[in-house]
């Protein structure tokens, strides 16, 4: 039997146009490249980035044994194609994936540092009614939410920010049917529902789920959280669906869970009646499986190599 309490929300995959620009951007936000996989025969490359400061509990761990990893996928030649553009997931016809989120020690100083470096924002701290969050834009136009690990009042007079304290807090996806998605992520994937934000005036709810690692009391310090955004009424429309990022126009690719025992984990998923994109036995890659969530987002399932050595990753 697999132990889902040992599973980790390992990474979020985003396709990028120019890996040099993207790696530079996320390195500026404090992430470090912890792995790279090049597949010249298939003409693509994978970059794995994460917060790796000594203050981070994942520091020094194998990339499959972490939470809060960002995978950037680059297909050769896109950086030279002037017509190539990434779908950031926030406008039709590619609406589905929403954003990734980085939590910071001092949100005022962190946002000023990003702005001073010449990077763009979708929403600055001073924009709109929500003055406690900002949305920066990465080189491909993906939204990067910036939240504070402390209140605005605690940090308003602090002018410095320490990128070593930043965390890759969560990834947000929109879902059609909140109950169907909650059942999938809690029962099939074994995640825990940590918090629900109900917004009846604006007709949407937010659900935050994850595995039992990190500080459960202060979620801003955690990594590996999934945020599900549900807009009221979408579940009642039989024609409504979100874009999964893998159909055209492409952008977001998948979420990835690393598990204690890959074979037993796949048996567990089979018992929960999941819909498979790729079983372990299918295709050339025998070390990964993919399942669909209720909105057809891809969920990759891999072996945590820290717990059981099965691949030379």
């Amino acid at each position: 039997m697999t132990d889902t309490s040992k599973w980790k929300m390992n990474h979020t995959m985003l396709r990028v146009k120019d890996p040099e620009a993207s790696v530079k951007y996320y390195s500026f936000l404090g992430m470090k490249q912890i792995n790279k996989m090049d597949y010249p025969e298939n003409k693509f490359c994978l970059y794995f980035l994460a917060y790796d400061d000594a203050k981070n509990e994942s520091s020094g761990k194998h990339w499959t044994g972490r939470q809060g990893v960002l995978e950037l996928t680059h297909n050769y030649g896109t950086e030279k194609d002037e017509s190539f553009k990434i779908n950031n997931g926030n406008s039709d016809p590619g609406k589905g994936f929403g954003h990734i989120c980085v939590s910071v020690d001092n949100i005022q100083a962190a946002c000023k540092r990003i702005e001073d470096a010449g990077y763009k924002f979708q929403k600055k701290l001073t924009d709109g009614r929500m003055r406690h969050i900002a949305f920066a834009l990465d080189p491909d136009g993906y939204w990067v939410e910036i939240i504070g690990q402390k209140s605005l009042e605690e940090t308003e007079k602090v002018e410095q920010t320490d990128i070593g304290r930043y965390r890759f807090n969560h990834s947000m996806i929109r879902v059609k049917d909140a109950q169907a998605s909650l059942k999938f992520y809690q029962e099939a994937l074994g995640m825990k529902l940590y918090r629900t934000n109900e917004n009846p005036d604006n007709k949407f709810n937010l659900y935050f789920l994850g595995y039992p690692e990190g500080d459960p009391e202060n979620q801003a310090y955690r990594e590996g959280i999934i945020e599900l955004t549900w807009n009221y009424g979408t579940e009642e429309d039989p024609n409504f669906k979100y874009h999964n990022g893998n159909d055209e126009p492409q952008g977001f690719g998948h979420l990835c869970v690393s598990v204690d025992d890959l074979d037993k984990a796949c048996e567990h998923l089979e018992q929960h009646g999941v819909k498979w994109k790729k079983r372990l036995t299918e295709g050339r890659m025998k070390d990964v499986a993919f399942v669909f969530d209720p909105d057809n987002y891809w969920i990759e399932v891999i072996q945590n190599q820290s717990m059981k050595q099965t691949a030379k990753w």
Side-chain angles (χ1 to χ4, degrees):
M1 179 179 293
T2 190
D3 183 356
T4 58
S5 71
K6 294 180 180 179
W7 292 15
K8 298 181 184 297
M9 180 35 228
N10 179 247
H11 71 256
T12 298
M13 187 276 263
L14 303 177
R15 296 176 177 88
V16 299
K17 177 174 182 173
D18 184 343
E20 183 176 343
S22 295
V23 170
K24 179 181 178 182
Y25 177 82
Y26 288 105
S27 296
F28 177 79
L29 290 184
M31 292 187 179
K32 297 178 182 178
Q33 183 177 311
I34 59 172
N35 194 32
K36 180 181 178 183
M37 297 183 183
D38 202 4
Y39 298 89
E41 67 279 8
N42 296 313
K43 298 183 178 180
F44 73 90
C45 191
L46 311 177
Y47 300 80
F48 295 87
L49 298 96
Y51 288 104
D52 200 42
D53 190 273
K55 306 179 187 72
N56 191 303
E57 63 182 306
S58 291
S59 178
K61 291 183 179 179
H62 191 274
W63 70 271
T64 61
R66 297 168 177 255
Q67 302 205 108
V69 177
L70 180 64
E71 176 188 346
L72 304 179
T73 294
H74 170 238
N75 293 297
Y76 293 1
T78 54
E79 73 281 10
K80 300 175 183 177
D81 183 352
E82 293 183 2
S83 65
F84 182 83
K85 186 178 180 181
I86 291 289
N87 164 35
N88 71 8
N90 288 297
S91 60
D92 289 323
K95 194 171 185 178
F97 170 76
H99 61 259
I100 62 171
C101 175
V102 172
S103 69
V104 301
D105 60 338
N106 176 3
I107 193 168
Q108 296 96 329
C111 288
K112 183 178 186 302
R113 178 175 176 269
I114 295 169
E115 187 172 6
D116 288 348
Y119 291 114
K120 297 179 181 179
F121 280 79
Q122 175 68 25
K123 176 200 175 300
K124 296 182 180 181
L125 277 179
T126 52
D127 296 337
R129 292 178 298 174
M130 300 177 70
R131 300 301 175 94
H132 62 289
I133 62 172
F135 284 89
L137 293 173
D138 88 345
D140 288 291
Y142 289 116
W143 295 12
V144 181
E145 184 179 14
I146 310 296
I147 63 172
Q149 296 166 351
K150 298 180 180 179
S151 69
L152 293 172
E153 292 74 22
E154 290 178 279
T155 60
E156 63 180 346
K157 296 182 180 179
V158 180
E159 298 182 356
Q160 301 297 320
T161 183
D162 179 2
I163 60 175
R165 296 186 180 276
Y166 292 12
R167 299 290 182 267
F168 180 4
N169 182 250
H170 70 256
S171 298
M172 185 276 266
I173 54 175
R174 299 174 177 91
V175 299
K176 175 178 179 174
D177 185 333
Q179 294 309 308
S181 294
L182 288 170
K183 180 178 181 181
F184 172 84
Y185 284 97
Q186 291 178 278
E187 296 184 9
L189 292 189
M191 291 185 179
K192 177 181 177 181
L193 178 62
Y194 285 110
R195 180 164 57 95
T196 299
N197 286 358
E198 296 185 355
N199 297 272
D201 291 342
N202 296 307
K203 298 183 178 180
F204 73 88
N205 288 357
L206 308 177
Y207 304 91
F208 296 86
L209 302 100
Y211 293 108
E213 182 174 303
D215 185 352
E217 301 300 323
N218 191 336
Q219 288 186 37
Y221 286 91
R222 291 176 55 88
E223 294 192 300
I225 293 174
I226 300 298
E227 176 187 352
L228 305 181
T229 295
W230 170 58
N231 291 292
Y232 296 1
T234 52
E235 77 284 4
E236 299 173 358
D237 182 352
N239 297 317
F240 184 89
K241 68 176 182 178
Y242 283 116
H243 188 277
N244 68 7
N246 291 298
D247 301 323
E248 294 292 345
Q250 291 187 325
F252 163 75
H254 59 259
L255 303 175
C256 176
V257 172
S258 68
V259 300
D260 59 328
D261 186 302
L262 186 54
D263 291 317
K264 292 180 180 178
C266 287
E267 291 176 5
H268 166 88
L269 293 168
E270 183 74 32
Q271 291 168 1
H272 280 80
V274 301
K275 180 182 175 183
W276 294 91
K277 167 66 180 176
K278 177 201 172 298
R279 298 176 186 270
L280 278 180
T281 54
E282 297 173 343
R284 291 179 298 172
M285 299 178 67
K286 306 300 184 183
D287 297 315
V288 301
F290 282 89
V291 299
F292 291 107
D293 89 342
D295 288 281
N296 284 328
Y297 294 114
W298 296 10
I299 311 296
E300 184 180 19
V301 187
I302 63 173
Q303 175 65 48
N304 180 345
Q305 299 296 315
S306 301
M307 302 185 72
K308 184 178 180 181
Q309 187 74 41
T310 63
K312 297 181 179 179
W313 286 343

